[in-house]
Amino acid sequence: MKKTMICINCPRGCTLEVKDENGEISVSGNNCPRGEKFGRQEMIQPMRTIASTVRTVFDEVPVLPCRVNREIPREKIPAVMHAINQVLVKERIGRGDIIIKDVEHTGADVIATSSILKEEDTYGV
């Protein structure tokens, strides 16, 4: 099996040619070791990260930015996004606080990426 893909590990965007011949994976076209690692991972199990927002009950901050704290299998993205879209934050949480632990059994947590809910109200000042 042979695949051509663009490496997404850096802005260079190298065009990779990845071959899987009887379980032996070879990568060409990469300009750095990260490209080779990416190509191999894409053939075995593509991984991605997600950044999104969750709804809150706070009028001054109706949505809070969040992300997963580690890469997850690409095929789990729809289920993880569904779980994120079900959340309604009711506490004043801050950057790094866990919103969903082990989301969809991926081993990744969904965490807040802003402390705007913990900051003093400066709106209308």
Side-chain angles (χ1 to χ4, degrees):
M1 173 192 266
K2 178 173 128 179
K3 284 187 178 180
T4 301
M5 61 186 75
I6 304 296
C7 180
I8 60 174
N9 273 312
C10 77
R12 266 188 138 150
C14 297
T15 300
L16 306 178
E17 186 173 290
V18 185
K19 294 179 186 173
D20 183 353
E21 297 172 345
N22 301 320
E24 291 291 323
I25 298 173
S26 64
V27 180
S28 61
N30 56 300
N31 287 305
C32 71
R34 289 177 15 193
E36 181 176 359
K37 182 179 176 186
F38 173 79
R40 288 180 183 282
Q41 185 65 49
E42 284 294 292
M43 288 298 272
I44 298 166
Q45 181 177 33
M47 302 291 281
R48 297 293 185 271
T49 188
I50 295 176
S52 188
T53 57
V54 289
R55 295 176 302 126
T56 80
V57 296
F58 304 98
D59 290 337
E60 72 276 14
V61 183
V63 293
L64 182 70
C66 65
R67 67 174 175 86
V68 290
N69 65 350
R70 61 182 283 191
E71 290 184 329
I72 62 170
R74 186 177 65 192
E75 70 269 8
K76 291 272 193 170
I77 290 174
V80 170
M81 285 304 303
H82 180 74
I84 289 171
N85 290 335
Q86 302 307 306
V87 171
L88 180 63
V89 174
K90 298 177 182 177
E91 299 175 22
R92 292 196 173 270
I93 62 175
R95 181 179 299 126
D97 289 346
I98 295 174
I99 299 170
I100 306 172
K101 181 112 180 113
D102 189 22
V103 64
E104 294 298 313
H105 309 290
T106 60
D109 299 331
V110 176
I111 60 171
T113 58
S114 172
S115 290
I116 194 166
L117 285 177
K118 282 195 168 185
E119 295 172 2
E120 289 186 28
D121 182 11
T122 56
Y123 302 100
V125 171

